[in-house]
Amino acid sequence: TSWLILHSKRLRIAQAAIEAAAGPGGARSVQEVQVLEHQPLEQVALLAAEPLRPGHSYTVSVHYAANLSEAFHGFYKSTYRTQDGELRVLASTQFEPTAARMAFPCFDEPAFKARFSVKIRREPKHLALSNMPLVKTVNISSSLVEDHFDTSVKMSTYLVAFIVSDFKSVSKITSRGIKISVYTVPDKIHQADYALDAAVKLLDFYEDYFGIPYPLPKQDLAAIPDFQSGAMENWGLTTYRESALLYDPAKSSASSKLATTMIIAHELAHQWFGNLVTMEWWNDLWLNEGFAKFMEFVSVSVTHPELRVEDYFLGKCFGAMEVDALSSSHPVSTPVEDPAEILEMFDNVSYEKGSCILNMLRDYMTADGFKAGLKQYLQKYSYQNAKNEDLWNKFFFQICPTVGTDESILQSDNFCRRNQESFSNAHWTKRETLDVRAMMNTWTLQKGFPLVTVTVRGKNVHLQQEHYRKELGSPSSTEYLWHIPLTYVTSKSDIVQRFLMTTKTDVFILPEEVEWIKFNVGMNGYYIVHYEDDGWDHLINLLKENHRLISSNDRASLINNVFQLVRIKKLPIAKAFDLTLYLKRETEIMPVFQGMQELIPIYKLMERRDMDDTENKLKEYIVNLFKDLIDKQSWTDDGSVPERMLKHSLLLFACVRGYQPCVDKAQEYFVKWQKSNATLSLPTDVKTAVYAVGAQTPEGWDFLLSKYRLHSFNLDKNQIALALSLSRNNDKLQWLMDEGLRGDIIKTQDLPHIIGFVARNPSGYHLAWTFLKNKWEELVEKFELGSHSIAAIVSEVTNQYSMQSQLTEVKEFFNSLDEKSSQLRCVQQAIETIEDNIQWMDRNFEEIKTWLQNKKL
């Protein structure tokens, strides 16, 4: 061929040449090439005068220039202010998924793995970092030096990284001799110690767990002042937004400790899942992200048991199901082609659903069997690319689910067979063979999840599965079938029983009749359950009589499931509200969170329709449900991490909802804090509630804003921004969004949060919608079409609409845009959500009104 096609975006190519390797005579031939650019595909074609011959080696050299990107991707500019207010500039990279082509011409697709040698010229006052350690520095002139970095291992372009900055660092060595360093702007280096210790523990854990040594000599973690997502797993140089990496025990809340640990765990898991073994193409992004999200929980539960991460896992699955129930959802593994479609894959389905189905598989196969399989997969595909089917083909078949010490025999056909007793006892399946690939394909190749309906007739338990869908009018997809690893406990036995359901309907027999049966133990399965006849009544009664007979995760899953069933008309809303009455006695974090998660959005829908009377009654009901628990909270930083996180949420909820004892206490704290000119140290977990109450007066709002701008409050920025956005003053709310777009006082990276906060404010939701419409072009320019940021803005602004006029307006606006924008998945999801809200309110509002009038707590 005479053509060489490379990716290139916004690069000004001056000239290019192709040099053939020396022939027998030692002569090297260099030919200038013609460069043609095709901007829509972000490609350049190099046309050689003579054809390039198969089997020969060529060296391509390209001379080009480009400006630093003004957005958050490519090789981009970031700025920060020192304690003295001086503005400093640095440059950093964010290449995933398709922005390496903005820094250098390359084959910018994950399957083209290569070794990279990086040289960077900089001023002596700066420091350069890249994936590999520095080998040497050469002086070019009195004001310029050139850093040479070691050649990388074989990796994809999206993992290349470099930073030029004036960062400072702290370092430690892991037990296997890897140097870990955390880099931050000089003024914040004292906030780097927690991340450093966590990274050392976690890297040691992963090397041990995977049985594959980390292959680079160092791992840097860098906090970048301007950063769009949470973090990025560049091999050997992971990058983070500052709030995701920096932690100060005296100022940071329990939830930020949890978040920082989880994010580091996620990026370090990627050093194996994603970097060492990479998906072949972006359609299988979940092989990177689902695994990294899942490994956060596996690793942190061992390295930081005090954080109790296992308590929060099911929340991820509820979040994924929310999106996955829409007809605009997509299978975990789904075809994508252009950059916007690729960006759209970075969503709840790839991350959260991916991790939930892996958790279900681990529960099914046992932790040891699952771990053995992961090792085989990673060893088999190290420094290569893998596809969805490779995962199941190459390793999951060879693991036999074991119960206790029962022997399992690997058959020659790569299926597992167990001795008969374990089958009948464990109820895993009536068949003898377990086809794990067939099972997992039902979870990765079709969208959505199953609803399992349970009908108990004496000792017989009848099961039926169907596709759970929010959209009531859509034709039933009867061809959907899942292989569901069901688990259950009963009123007679708390030993977890198992049953693999692979058909539309099934039945099994209990040893004796039971009062109640609870399926999906601990919510380890990615499915929801409906109990026919009086099944729900028995469970509601169980919660009322003695809710501690089942685990807190089981209670949270009942709360979630009962409201999901109302959505599809399987249950009346009164039944769901009856179940919530027991929450008066609930003290555990997940059921309380889930109760709030289901009830608060209902009155938010009413708020958007100005239904004051019922809305206030509902608000009163929710506050009364949790009143005893709220009153019990201490306004100090004591308690375990889950207790502290619960305190933070409850007090913020109570203060924002105007619960007087909470408001008075917060007001008292705020006045003292303001009088001390913010030198008084507030308990970290009650800060947000105090700020939220303080921001309600014009003087309090201005005082908080003055602190937001101060360097010493960098760890409080998110809490202060939330408080500022609770103002009832429209001018102030508008100013927050305008300022976020300008990016001076409020960094643009935080704008999606600010818009979301304003959209949730009953005084601000119309402002947020107008802002989205008027600034759409600028938002897309800054955050990229298809990005998670754009999806979050669209969702937050529209997800509480429930009126026909709002639906019409949203449709009209997005239809007026170009096809790429109007066809975004987040737009389809927004429209579907509003339609669902309209139907929901029309169906349930009167019934809620009646229920609230009749029930007294």
Short mmCIF file of all heavy atoms in Angstrom, two decimals, residues 44 104 144 156 190 232 387 398 412 439 598 736 755 793:
data_model
loop_
_atom_site.label_atom_id
_atom_site.label_comp_id
_atom_site.label_asym_id
_atom_site.label_seq_id
_atom_site.Cartn_x
_atom_site.Cartn_y
_atom_site.Cartn_z
N VAL A 44 -5.47 11.42 9.60
CA VAL A 44 -4.61 11.93 8.52
C VAL A 44 -4.12 10.74 7.71
O VAL A 44 -3.91 9.65 8.25
CB VAL A 44 -3.38 12.73 9.03
CG1 VAL A 44 -3.81 14.06 9.61
CG2 VAL A 44 -2.57 11.94 10.02
N PHE A 104 -0.42 13.56 19.85
CA PHE A 104 0.53 13.06 18.84
C PHE A 104 -0.22 12.18 17.84
O PHE A 104 -1.20 11.53 18.20
CB PHE A 104 1.70 12.30 19.49
CG PHE A 104 1.29 11.20 20.43
CD1 PHE A 104 1.15 9.88 19.99
CD2 PHE A 104 1.06 11.45 21.78
CE1 PHE A 104 0.78 8.86 20.87
CE2 PHE A 104 0.68 10.45 22.66
CZ PHE A 104 0.54 9.14 22.20
N LEU A 144 16.23 25.87 29.25
CA LEU A 144 15.50 24.70 28.74
C LEU A 144 16.26 23.41 29.03
O LEU A 144 17.47 23.33 28.79
CB LEU A 144 15.30 24.84 27.22
CG LEU A 144 14.06 24.20 26.60
CD1 LEU A 144 12.77 24.71 27.25
CD2 LEU A 144 14.03 24.46 25.11
N SER A 156 -1.77 0.42 25.34
CA SER A 156 -2.63 1.17 24.42
C SER A 156 -2.35 2.67 24.52
O SER A 156 -1.91 3.15 25.57
CB SER A 156 -4.10 0.92 24.75
OG SER A 156 -4.40 -0.46 24.71
N HIS A 190 0.53 18.52 52.28
CA HIS A 190 0.22 17.95 53.60
C HIS A 190 -1.09 17.15 53.58
O HIS A 190 -1.40 16.47 54.56
CB HIS A 190 0.13 19.07 54.66
CG HIS A 190 -0.98 20.03 54.41
ND1 HIS A 190 -0.93 20.98 53.39
CD2 HIS A 190 -2.20 20.19 55.01
CE1 HIS A 190 -2.06 21.68 53.39
NE2 HIS A 190 -2.84 21.22 54.35
N MET A 232 -8.08 8.82 36.46
CA MET A 232 -7.71 8.11 35.23
C MET A 232 -6.53 7.19 35.51
O MET A 232 -5.58 7.58 36.18
CB MET A 232 -7.35 9.14 34.13
CG MET A 232 -6.85 8.53 32.84
SD MET A 232 -8.10 7.48 32.05
CE MET A 232 -7.04 6.32 31.17
N LYS A 387 -11.86 -9.98 24.45
CA LYS A 387 -13.25 -9.69 24.13
C LYS A 387 -14.14 -10.32 25.20
O LYS A 387 -13.68 -11.18 25.97
CB LYS A 387 -13.63 -10.29 22.76
CG LYS A 387 -12.82 -9.74 21.58
CD LYS A 387 -13.42 -10.18 20.26
CE LYS A 387 -13.24 -11.67 19.95
NZ LYS A 387 -11.83 -12.07 19.73
N GLN A 398 -13.72 -23.29 33.52
CA GLN A 398 -12.89 -24.28 34.19
C GLN A 398 -13.02 -24.22 35.70
O GLN A 398 -12.31 -24.89 36.42
CB GLN A 398 -11.44 -24.07 33.76
CG GLN A 398 -11.29 -24.40 32.29
CD GLN A 398 -10.12 -23.70 31.68
OE1 GLN A 398 -9.18 -23.37 32.38
NE2 GLN A 398 -10.16 -23.46 30.39
N SER A 412 -14.36 -33.41 30.40
CA SER A 412 -13.52 -33.13 29.24
C SER A 412 -14.13 -32.04 28.36
O SER A 412 -13.43 -31.36 27.62
CB SER A 412 -13.35 -34.42 28.41
OG SER A 412 -14.65 -34.88 28.07
N MET A 439 -24.77 -18.80 30.89
CA MET A 439 -25.38 -18.02 31.96
C MET A 439 -24.99 -16.55 31.84
O MET A 439 -25.85 -15.65 31.86
CB MET A 439 -24.92 -18.57 33.32
CG MET A 439 -25.33 -17.70 34.49
SD MET A 439 -24.72 -18.41 36.03
CE MET A 439 -24.44 -16.93 36.96
N GLU A 598 -36.26 6.39 48.04
CA GLU A 598 -37.57 6.13 47.43
C GLU A 598 -38.57 7.25 47.73
O GLU A 598 -39.37 7.62 46.88
CB GLU A 598 -38.15 4.79 47.93
CG GLU A 598 -37.28 3.56 47.67
CD GLU A 598 -37.05 3.25 46.20
OE1 GLU A 598 -37.73 3.85 45.34
OE2 GLU A 598 -36.17 2.41 45.91
N LEU A 736 -24.11 31.55 40.41
CA LEU A 736 -23.31 30.33 40.64
C LEU A 736 -23.06 29.59 39.32
O LEU A 736 -21.93 29.17 39.04
CB LEU A 736 -24.05 29.38 41.60
CG LEU A 736 -24.08 29.75 43.09
CD1 LEU A 736 -25.00 28.80 43.85
CD2 LEU A 736 -22.67 29.71 43.69
N ILE A 755 -24.93 22.83 38.54
CA ILE A 755 -26.20 22.83 37.79
C ILE A 755 -27.17 21.82 38.45
O ILE A 755 -28.35 22.10 38.62
CB ILE A 755 -25.98 22.47 36.30
CG1 ILE A 755 -25.10 23.53 35.62
CG2 ILE A 755 -27.31 22.32 35.57
CD1 ILE A 755 -24.68 23.17 34.20
N ILE A 793 -25.72 16.41 33.55
CA ILE A 793 -26.43 17.70 33.50
C ILE A 793 -27.85 17.48 32.96
O ILE A 793 -28.83 17.93 33.55
CB ILE A 793 -25.65 18.72 32.63
CG1 ILE A 793 -24.33 19.11 33.32
CG2 ILE A 793 -26.50 19.96 32.38
CD1 ILE A 793 -23.37 19.90 32.44
#
